Structure formats: structure tokens, C-alpha cells
Amino acid sequence: MIRRLAILILALAASLSAAAAQGFPQGFRTPADLVRASLVAEPAAVAGAQPFTLAVRMQIKPGWHVYWRNPGDSGLPPEVTWTLPAGFNAGAIRWPAPERIPIATLMNYGYEGEVTLLVPVTPPPSLDPADPVRIQAKLTYLVCETECVPGSADLALTMPVGKAEPDPASAALFARARAALPVPALWPLRLSSQGDTLRLDFAATGLKPEAVRNAAYFPYAETAIDNAAAQVMTVDETGLHLTLARSSPTDPVPTALPGVLTVDEVDAAGTRRLAFAYGDEPVLPAAAAPAPTAPNPGATGPATSDFDALTLATAAAFAFLGGLILNLMPCVFPVLSIKVLSLVRHAGEGPARLRLHGLAYTAGVLASFLALAAALIGLKSGGAAIGWGFQLQSPAVVAGLAYLLFAMGLSLSGAVHVGGRLAGLGDGLTRRAGLSGSFFTGVLATLMATPCTAPFMGSAVGFALTQSAGVALAVFASLGLGLALPFLLLTLWPPALRALPRPGAWMETLKQVLAFPVYATVAWLIWVLAQQVDPRGQLAALIGLVLVGFAAWAWEHGRAAAPRTGRIAQAAAVLALIAVASLAVTLPRSSAAPAAQAAADGVEPFTQARLDALLDAHRPVFIDMTAAWCITCAVNEATSLNTRAVRAAMAERGVTYMKGDWTNQNPEITRLLEKHGRSGVPLYLLYTGTGEPQVLPQILTEGTVLAALEAVPAAAGRSAALAR
């Protein structure tokens, strides 16, 4: 691998520096001259829940080539980054069988002339006939002759919503593309090792030696064989045999070699190329419609890979249950406790007035959830790759929430009394007699709920974001109603209020004690912010806390001072808050990857390419999709994933632990979440080495994880350990 990368870098540097030195003379071709890329759809229209196929077509200048998924000794394969409407999911690229392309002493695997990459796409169950489907893709590639030129192309197409019938204009293109794909293996393969070589025996009984012009094997793994060495072919009565040179005799002998076999067969009509896939290479059937995924036994709630299992009624019920459980999460509990404390203070106002407080709180929760839903729907319709908790991917929002809670904690501690004009700030709002206090406490509770994910909630929100706007808003409203219900019932049922203790001096002490969970939340938010910004941004955020404290002190000092002095002090407080807002919106993002992405303690950072490579090698993989601001994720990691027993079980079975950090936006992670019906983290997947992954519950226990790992075959674990 290192040798291949070094050669690639030298080739790129040589070609680009030569072009620069010559000032791009006449005859120098830009990437667009060398590769003409286009995006083509098989059907003329899109129908809800009807999978269809897209083609990324690359027409290559004669003498030049692009690369296969395993490029051989040098090069990089084409990559496609999709921007799809809400609810759409693009599958993996279907790679045509490659050719061996010798360049000096190197051997590359790729395509010359033209190549068409097929990609299956699954739309959501319902689509608006009046809203055409806009699909965009960013294609990046490396095109080479003796020198290499990196290129890219922005591709797009718009399709109407209607009956998904094949488009006659593109039928020939898709027929040729499918004919170039490897088909399921026809002949059984036996792999053996003979010193520095590997022998591949294909049980092709009855194959005539004169009927085979040439054969080649293309492994998926980049370092499995010496790519440039000759592949020696023999054909006898027992079948077809290939002898391949190993890349390194000191490496462990592989127990399997997934890849593609190509055979040039000669008959009366001429020579034709056959290609067979060995391993788990996805093969696109003629119908291009994947079979429905079976439910995962370890999943909580419905099968998250198949939304047809959910209806509006069941999704709303799951959302309601998830909202109820959110009240017990550490995100929401401190805010709710403060509001219950205020109920004790208002207990003498009468049942009717208390009911109004409960209804106002519920209205604040529902309004906030509907606003979040509307923002999610609007942004996803515009092509944004976001999900539940998306606002916490913004450093400005995280900083603003930290400053708001810090002001709330100061009020609880008695450092400042927030008056009516600033009643929107935290505790000063929650403790006021007005109904606005209850309404905006509902808003604050919703904001604090977004870092948490409760059981049942992930499936419901994921379903909602694949449906029409009306269905999505109904599901989010059910989630909000579940969150608001405990406080609402407390205000609607007088016996519950009578069970609360009478007002007294204990309330002031409890209020001050409740400030410390709020301060702990502020510390956690600043830690989250440290994952998103560079050191200068961290310093700016901490200065913001100082300014909030100064604003609180100046405001309180101004209230007790003479009128002129008081106005000056309060003006200083306002200026300090303006400075805080300016700091929050200008916090720079960190150029480095988040800390959770760092590979440490046997944990690999998630990339789709790395996951595909592991699955191609039949390696068991555990996927942990997390974020720094996800409290549920942090609790699961501490109690269930980072325990000695779980990590030992993973090591024993050769399970690769991959962590995807969604602290900042990451389209690859968003696509994997959407593929499994989730709109946010956490998501836990266990690939056993074959078949579809098992989706684990969102709230884990050590026993749950250990039981799931029992599904990894011991043989698969040993093979993975040897492959390492």
C-alpha cells in the first residue's frame, strides 16, 4: 500500500509540475477533456417506494484510463458523493469487471474507453407529484496515461414523479452496463498456498482448453497479490487453474480471496468476456429491485431498514413513548425539576390557573418540536445531510445554549434576579407567575432534549423524515406531547398537586442546589464546543462565559444603584451580551477531525470505503455512530461498549470496532443513518461477516452487546484475526 501511494504521489507531482512548467501548452488536456461524465436515470419518472437505478457514465479519451475499486499498483478509484432529496437512499456502486492495464513495471486495474457505474436508489414511500426530484452527484476520479490528472464533475438531473417505467432512450446504455457486471460464481473455487504463490482451482469441468483465450483474477483486497506478476493459467479436465504471486511471503496465508474472475471464451461467434464474482460482491439483478430486508432480532421497535413496517399510527405511538422517556434523561430532568419547583410556589393560585400553566408549557413544547420539524424538513428538502440534533452541529448554537444555561444557573444561585424584560432567560422565566414563563420553559425543555435519544424515538423520527410534511409534523407533535405529558398531568390532576410539600425555606435551598446540575450541563456543552472549534474558538467561548457573568453582575448592580448609575450599569450589561452574541456567531470551526474520530484503543474512525473493504473481506464489524453532544451515546459507551468484557469479546472474535463521529456534519454518516431508518445518533450495527447487519437497541447494556456478539461465528473471528 505504501509503495502504491508513493508511486501515485510521484506520478501526480510529475504530471502537474510538468504542465505548470510548460504553462499548459497547446495539446495539454484538462480533466474535462479526458473524461466526459454524465448522470443517467433508467426510468423516465420516480414512484414512491419503487427502487430504480442511476448510471454514472464516464467516456474516457483513447489511451487514458480510470480505475476499478481495487486500482492495483497505483491510482485511485472513482468516488461519488450524492446530494439526494429527503428520504432517498443511494446504495453501493456496482463495479463492472475491470481490465489489467500495464504501465511500465506496474499493473493497474481499471477501464479504458468507457465505463458505466450503476447505483441503486431507493425513494421514500410517498412523493409529491407536483415536486420534481432533483438528484445531484459529485464525481471525483483520477485519469491516467503515463501521467495522471485528478478530475471532478458536478452531475445533476431532475426527474418527474410518476409511473416508474424504463426510459427507452437509456435502455441500451443500461443493458450494456449490466452485461459488464460480474455474475454470481459459476464454478466453485478452492484456494491453496504453494510457497510464494497462491493457487486458485476453479471446478470448471468440461471446459475445453482451446475455448479459453485468457483468464485473470482481480482480488478486492489491494495487497493480496503481486499485481504486476504474471497470472499463469492452465486448463485441464478438472477445470481452470490460476497461479498468482503473493504480495509478501511473510504475510499470513489468506483463508479466502474474494474478487472477480474474468475469462475470455472463444467460440464460433468470436471472443466474449465472462466475469464471475467470488465473495460478497453485490450483483445487480436484471429487475434492479432489491428484496426487502428482514427485521433485525436485536432491534428495539420496528425493523429500521424497512419503513413499510411502520404506519403513521405506529410511528406516532413510538414517538409518544420516546417523548415520555425523554423526561427521565439527564438533558431534560434539571429543567423539569425547576418547573415542578415553581408549581409548589404557585400552588395557591387555584386549579384553573395551574391548568393554564400546564397548557402553556405543553404549547411551548409542541411549538418547539413543530419548529424543529419544519426546519429539518426544509433543510433536507434543500439537499442538506442532517438529522435529529442537527442544530448542535453548529458551534454558535452550542455556545448560545451554554450561555443561556449559565445565566439560568446564576439566577438559581441568587447571583442575579432576571426581571420581566429579560424573562426569556432560563430560571428567571421558569419562576415567574406569568404563563409566558411556562411556555418558554417548554421551549427550553425541548432544546435540552435534543442531545438525547430515547428508545422507540429513533425509528419514529427516521420514519417521519421520509414522509410528507403533514405526516412528519404529526409524528413530531406526538413526540412533543409525550415530553410534555407528565407536567401537564401534574397540573390537571389536583390530588397530585396536594401531594407536593408546602412552600417554605427549603425551596430556596433546593433552588440553589439545582443550579449545580445546570452548571454541569454548561461544562459539558463547552466540552462539546471544544470538539468543534480550534483553540482560539475555545478561548473565545470561555471569554463569552466571563462576559455573561459580567452582564449578570452589572444588571443586578444597576438595579440597586442610583438611577443614572443603574442605567450605565445596565447598558454595560447589554453591551456585554451583544459581545457574547458576536463571539458565538463567529466561532471558527476546527480544521482537524473531532477527537472521537481519532483511532485509539483499537477503535477505527468510520469511513464508508473502509467499511466496504472490511465487508468485502467477510470481516465482522461493529459500528458505533456517536457525537460529542449525544448524552445517550456517552452513557452507552461508558457502561456497555468500553467495558473489559465487551472489548475482550470483540478481540476474541476478531470484530473491528468502527466509530463514526457526527459532532460536526458528515454526509457519509448521515447516509448510513438514513439507510437504517434513523435521523440521528446513536446507531449501533453489528456485521457478522455475512448478510445484513443487526441493529442494536439505542439504550445498551453490557449483556445486550455480549449477546449480540455471540452471533459472530468463531471461524469468522479467527479469519479476521489472521487477516490483521
Side-chain angles (χ1 to χ4, degrees), residues 193-593:
S193 175
Q194 299 176 351
D196 295 344
T197 63
L198 295 174
R199 182 178 172 91
L200 279 61
D201 297 305
F202 301 92
T205 55
L207 189 65
K208 298 179 180 179
E210 63 272 15
V212 180
R213 178 71 53 82
N214 186 40
Y217 195 79
F218 302 87
Y220 300 145
E222 296 186 19
T223 58
I225 65 172
D226 183 347
N227 302 303
Q231 298 192 5
V232 181
M233 178 194 75
T234 58
V235 180
D236 56 27
E237 65 278 0
T238 64
L240 172 69
H241 314 281
L242 282 176
T243 300
L244 315 179
R246 295 170 58 189
S247 61
S248 174
T250 60
D251 289 344
V253 177
T255 58
L257 193 65
V260 171
L261 170 69
T262 62
V263 178
D264 292 337
E265 185 182 48
V266 181
D267 56 21
T271 302
R272 61 171 181 164
R273 170 158 292 191
L274 308 177
F276 305 102
Y278 288 85
D280 57 357
E281 167 74 357
V283 177
L284 192 66
T293 303
N296 292 304
T300 298
T304 56
S305 58
D306 188 3
F307 284 138
D308 291 339
L310 277 178
T311 63
L312 174 58
T314 54
F318 279 121
F320 178 77
L321 289 173
L324 278 176
I325 299 172
L326 274 179
N327 286 282
L328 302 177
M329 295 291 178
C331 329
V332 181
F333 192 74
V335 176
L336 191 60
S337 299
I338 295 166
K339 193 58 197 172
V340 171
L341 185 64
S342 72
L343 271 185
V344 177
R345 185 180 294 106
H346 299 320
E349 295 184 6
R353 182 69 176 175
L354 290 175
R355 281 195 294 270
L356 288 177
H357 278 287
L359 293 172
Y361 172 81
T362 303
V365 172
L366 291 177
S368 302
F369 268 102
L370 293 177
L372 275 176
L376 266 172
I377 294 167
L379 291 171
K380 287 182 76 67
S381 298
I386 58 174
W388 176 254
F390 72 97
Q391 68 276 18
L392 293 175
Q393 293 176 332
S394 166
V397 172
V398 174
L401 195 55
Y403 298 152
L404 174 64
L405 291 177
F406 186 53
M408 178 179 174
L410 291 174
S411 180
L412 288 169
S413 297
V416 61
H417 173 73
V418 183
R421 293 184 180 180
L422 295 177
L425 287 177
D427 174 62
L429 177 59
T430 65
R431 295 188 294 124
R432 291 190 60 78
L435 298 178
S436 62
S438 294
F439 178 87
F440 282 103
T441 302
V443 174
L444 183 61
T446 303
L447 287 174
M448 294 307 299
T450 52
C452 285
T453 299
F456 306 104
M457 178 179 154
S459 300
V461 173
F463 169 83
L465 294 179
T466 65
Q467 307 300 306
S468 64
V471 171
L473 291 174
V475 173
F476 273 86
S478 299
L479 183 60
L481 184 60
L483 178 64
L485 186 63
F487 184 80
L488 179 62
L489 290 178
L490 197 61
T491 61
L492 295 179
W493 192 37
L497 290 175
R498 288 195 294 271
L500 295 175
R502 295 180 178 277
W506 64 271
M507 293 177 60
E508 184 64 24
T509 301
L510 180 59
K511 175 178 72 70
Q512 294 177 6
V513 169
L514 287 173
F516 292 97
V518 175
Y519 290 138
T521 305
V522 173
W524 166 70
L525 286 169
I526 295 298
W527 175 80
V528 171
L529 194 63
Q531 318 302 310
Q532 300 175 314
V533 299
D534 60 20
R536 293 175 302 164
Q538 296 178 42
L539 177 60
L542 293 172
I543 291 174
L545 289 178
V546 175
L547 289 174
V548 170
F550 170 76
W553 172 81
W555 185 268
E556 190 68 18
H557 183 72
R559 293 177 69 248
R564 178 179 174 83
T565 304
R567 285 193 294 270
I568 294 174
Q570 292 182 345
V574 171
L575 289 174
L577 292 178
I578 293 174
V580 168
S582 300
L583 282 174
V585 299
T586 57
L587 287 173
R589 281 191 179 274
S590 174
S591 57

Side-chain angles (χ1 to χ4, degrees), residues 559-632:
R559 293 177 69 248
R564 178 179 174 83
T565 304
R567 285 193 294 270
I568 294 174
Q570 292 182 345
V574 171
L575 289 174
L577 292 178
I578 293 174
V580 168
S582 300
L583 282 174
V585 299
T586 57
L587 287 173
R589 281 191 179 274
S590 174
S591 57
Q597 280 284 17
D601 299 327
V603 180
E604 293 190 22
F606 168 82
T607 66
Q608 187 63 52
R610 175 60 175 156
L611 175 60
D612 291 342
L614 290 169
L615 297 182
D616 287 341
H618 297 283
R619 298 268 292 273
V621 183
F622 182 83
I623 299 291
D624 172 10
M625 290 302 179
T626 183
W629 40 260
C630 174
I631 294 180
T632 307

Side-chain angles (χ1 to χ4, degrees), residues 606-691:
F606 168 82
T607 66
Q608 187 63 52
R610 175 60 175 156
L611 175 60
D612 291 342
L614 290 169
L615 297 182
D616 287 341
H618 297 283
R619 298 268 292 273
V621 183
F622 182 83
I623 299 291
D624 172 10
M625 290 302 179
T626 183
W629 40 260
C630 174
I631 294 180
T632 307
C633 306
V635 172
N636 285 338
E637 289 180 15
T639 62
S640 307
L641 296 178
N642 292 336
T643 65
R644 182 175 301 176
V646 167
R647 300 307 287 274
M650 288 187 180
E652 178 184 355
R653 296 179 177 273
V655 177
T656 300
Y657 187 150
M658 298 187 74
K659 180 181 289 188
D661 193 315
W662 210 45
T663 302
N664 297 319
Q665 291 186 18
N666 185 318
E668 277 196 335
I669 294 177
T670 304
R671 284 194 293 272
L672 189 66
L673 292 171
E674 291 175 345
K675 179 180 179 180
H676 294 281
R678 298 289 172 83
S679 68
V681 291
L683 172 66
Y684 305 107
L685 303 174
L686 177 61
Y687 295 84
T688 60
T690 58

